[in-house]
Amino acid sequence: MSGGKLLVFSAPSGSGKTTIVRHLLQQEDLNLEFSVSATSRAPRGDEKHGENYYFISLKDFKQHIKQGDFLEWEEVYRDNFYGTLKKEVERIWANGKNVIFDIDVVGGLRIKKKYPDRTLAVFVKPPSVDELKRRLKKRKTESEERINMRIAKASVELATAPQFDVIIENIDLQVALQKSHDLVSEFIQDKLQLDEEE
Ligand code: 5GP
């Protein structure tokens, strides 16, 4: 593969990473395009196929795994598979753009490992688990059971934060948006110094 940079934004759901990613996509100077993931979960609210996700059946998802079509994939929740198709990244690079990902921590770190130099892996940290709970409840798109499932996963995900290149604490959204913009801007201009700890 040849092409641009990879910007990975990972976090527990409810941290505000989707809001940050959407904001960055509107900044023309960053020349970003969203990597639309494939998922076997059903659409939520007004989500659209090809825009938020490629919504495919579990059977098709498993077929793609077999064919080696994914750059990374993960069973994020039981029977809910998510993955980045290699073709999606190639398509965006062919458009001359940098790729931005809104994916889970395991997938995010996998991409960083595959492309260490051209990936900026950002962990978006919520202020607290209680605040996360409050935000997920406010969203009103999911059952209590699913919300609890996400909260349980969040604690495990929070522990992976130190493995990322940068941690952005989303306490004040405006500050987090500005910080994310500055980081991505520096990274795509090769001006960001990352610690090379292994
Ligand atoms: P949601 O169901 O809220 O849209 O997403 C659940 C989790 O799956 C989120 O953390 C989201 O970032 C993650 N996710 C979305 N797409 C991908 C992907 O392509 N790969 C991986 N590993 N995780 C993904």
Side-chain angles (χ1 to χ4, degrees):
M1 278 192 199
S2 62
K5 298 267 202 281
L6 303 171
L7 293 315
V8 169
F9 279 76
S10 297
S13 48
S15 311
K17 74 172 183 301
T18 303
T19 310
I20 294 175
V21 168
R22 282 200 191 130
H23 169 80
L24 294 175
L25 279 163
Q26 286 165 5
Q27 315 303 308
E28 282 181 16
D29 59 314
L30 302 179
N31 192 31
L32 300 175
E33 191 167 336
F34 182 63
S35 165
V36 179
S37 299
T39 183
S40 66
R41 82 147 163 79
R44 252 191 343 238
D46 59 0
E47 286 181 330
K48 289 186 184 65
H49 179 79
E51 209 172 286
N52 305 87
Y53 285 106
Y54 299 115
F55 294 101
I56 62 177
S57 67
L58 190 57
K59 186 168 165 260
D60 286 349
F61 200 103
K62 289 187 173 165
Q63 186 63 28
H64 281 300
I65 295 175
K66 259 200 202 140
Q67 289 166 198
D69 295 337
F70 287 111
L71 186 58
E72 63 78 37
W73 63 269
E74 194 66 28
E75 186 175 6
V76 178
Y77 304 106
R78 190 145 178 253
D79 275 345
N80 283 357
F81 286 71
Y82 297 78
T84 306
L85 290 160
K86 289 176 186 163
K87 267 197 177 148
E88 180 67 3
V89 173
E90 284 162 4
R91 179 185 70 76
I92 297 171
W93 279 346
N95 280 347
K97 302 237 177 181
N98 301 304
V99 190
I100 187 163
F101 300 87
D102 173 347
I103 68 179
D104 94 314
V105 295
V106 179
L109 291 171
R110 250 183 217 148
I111 288 178
K112 175 73 190 175
K113 212 168 181 181
K114 279 199 176 153
Y115 299 101
D117 297 330
R118 63 166 66 183
T119 304
L120 176 68
V122 181
F123 188 92
V124 183
K125 200 172 168 192
S128 66
V129 173
D130 276 352
E131 172 62 14
L132 200 67
K133 210 174 207 168
R134 204 185 60 75
R135 288 182 190 175
L136 286 174
K137 285 198 171 148
K138 214 173 104 191
R139 207 146 83 174
K140 290 201 182 112
T141 48
E142 288 179 296
S143 67
E144 184 84 16
E145 190 198 341
R146 292 201 79 81
I147 290 175
N148 287 337
M149 197 166 80
R150 285 177 189 266
I151 308 251
K153 191 165 186 279
S155 312
V156 180
E157 289 169 330
L158 283 168
T160 68
Q163 296 176 55
F164 283 74
D165 295 320
V166 199
I167 299 174
I168 292 185
E169 274 203 66
N170 187 10
I171 299 170
D172 177 328
L173 182 62
Q174 289 311 317
V175 175
L177 293 179
Q178 186 63 49
K179 204 168 168 195
S180 305
H181 176 276
D182 294 349
L183 273 169
V184 172
S185 176
E186 280 180 38
F187 184 72
I188 61 177
Q189 295 178 72
D190 291 319
K191 287 183 185 162
L192 189 70
Q193 292 293 324
L194 297 174
D195 293 338
E196 296 284 332
E197 290 169 40
E198 277 300 316

